Amino acid sequence: MAEASLPEAGRLSFASLGSGSKGNATLVSDGETRLLIDCGFTMREAERRLAALGLHPGQLDAILVTHEHGDHIGGVGPLARRHDIPVYLTPGTWRADRLGRVPRHHWITPQARFVIKGLEIEPVTVPHDAREPVQFCLSGAGRRLGVLTDLGHPSAHVVEAFRGCDALILECNHDRRLLAEGPYPPRLKRRVGGDWGHLANVQAARLLQGLGLDRLQRIICSHLSEHNNRPELALEALVPLLDGDDSRLMVAAQDEGLGWQTIA
């Protein structure tokens, strides 16, 4: 990621520090409020990636946590402790006891909206093999962003909750053929491909069809498996829904992340 400046005030923007099985973290800002969703990187690596996006950890207003798996929560505690950042998470995620001591934590209730400065956040229950997992819809500056990574299938509840987004960060974890033929042991293949695991490319496409595409300015393919997917396969699954126009599609990579994107 090249060095970048912070987004301007009054516009909803987002960026990815990186996305995949080795670490996930997403930034959301309206230019004044700055939230980090998850942090699966070491503290030093998270600080480096934040700096590349023009941000010091001390400028964060909060860290939102989706669930307790290490690629999402591994760096949350160290970052929060060092920089005195409040952490928002469900009671179930807290009770998984993988966060450690944090200076300030706030419990959130799925489906109950709350506000942090200029951003309204709606935590949405998702089907995933964790204690009390959620994903988030965030609204600010007259726009709405959906962050939807880590779910086993596109349930009707999820489809309903994520309608009306102007941009969507969407899990495209695996290609079903690559998963079936890949190096994972059978038990892990069943977990990843099951209803409480991760979203396949074809499932991501089905979810997008259910949401509707007219309003979506940006669709970010995220959480791609290193072994069971490739960016071109994820894009190939979604491009037909856009009549072959891939200008709205991007990929949040594991190593490079994704630079600031502003919703018009």
Side-chain angles (χ1 to χ4, degrees), residues 7-8 10-14 29 167 217-218 259-264:
E8 61 186 275
R11 303 183 73 180
L12 188 60
S13 302
F14 62 92
S29 176
Q217 299 179 27
R218 291 279 190 278
W260 284 109
Q261 306 293 312
T262 298
I263 305 174

Side-chain angles (χ1 to χ4, degrees), residues 111 122 124 137 144 156-163 165 211:
Q111 284 67 246
E122 180 183 358
V124 180
C137 288
R144 180 173 163 89
H157 167 72
V158 168
V159 172
E160 183 61 32
F162 281 83
R163 282 200 178 106
C165 288
L211 295 178

Side-chain angles (χ1 to χ4, degrees), residues 16 38 40 122 156 159 162 167-168 202 208 240:
S16 171
D38 291 337
E122 180 183 358
V159 172
F162 281 83
L168 181 65
V202 293
L208 276 179

Side-chain angles (χ1 to χ4, degrees), residues 233-255:
L233 294 177
L235 296 174
E236 183 181 283
L238 304 186
V239 165
L241 303 178
L242 304 170
D243 296 323
D245 175 17
D246 63 358
S247 62
R248 288 189 275 172
L249 288 172
M250 305 182 79
V251 175
Q254 179 69 89
D255 294 330

Side-chain angles (χ1 to χ4, degrees), residues 109-115 120-123 137 139 144 161:
T109 302
Q111 284 67 246
R113 296 176 183 175
F114 62 99
V115 173
E120 181 183 79
I121 302 109
E122 180 183 358
C137 288
S139 300
R144 180 173 163 89

Side-chain angles (χ1 to χ4, degrees), residues 28 30 33-38 61-66 86-91 105-125 134-140 144-145:
V28 183
D30 63 356
T33 314
R34 300 175 184 108
L35 305 180
L36 184 64
I37 300 176
D38 291 337
D61 294 291
I63 302 174
L64 311 181
V65 178
T66 60
V87 177
Y88 290 71
L89 71 172
T90 64
H105 74 271
H106 303 269
W107 285 2
I108 59 179
T109 302
Q111 284 67 246
R113 296 176 183 175
F114 62 99
V115 173
I116 300 176
K117 294 175 64 174
L119 293 177
E120 181 183 79
I121 302 109
E122 180 183 358
V124 180
T125 297
V134 293
Q135 297 289 307
F136 296 104
C137 288
L138 304 101
S139 300
R144 180 173 163 89
L145 167 69

Side-chain angles (χ1 to χ4, degrees), residues 1-6 15-18 25-28 34-39 41-60 63 79 83 85 260:
M1 291 182 290
E3 294 291 328
S5 58
L6 290 174
S16 171
L17 278 66
T26 302
L27 278 169
V28 183
R34 300 175 184 108
L35 305 180
L36 184 64
I37 300 176
D38 291 337
C39 184
F41 301 101
T42 65
M43 182 174 63
R44 180 175 294 182
E45 183 64 14
E47 290 173 340
R48 184 188 72 81
R49 293 183 183 226
L50 284 167
L53 291 164
L55 197 68
H56 184 275
Q59 296 174 281
L60 292 171
I63 302 174
L79 200 66
H83 299 284
I85 307 167
W260 284 109

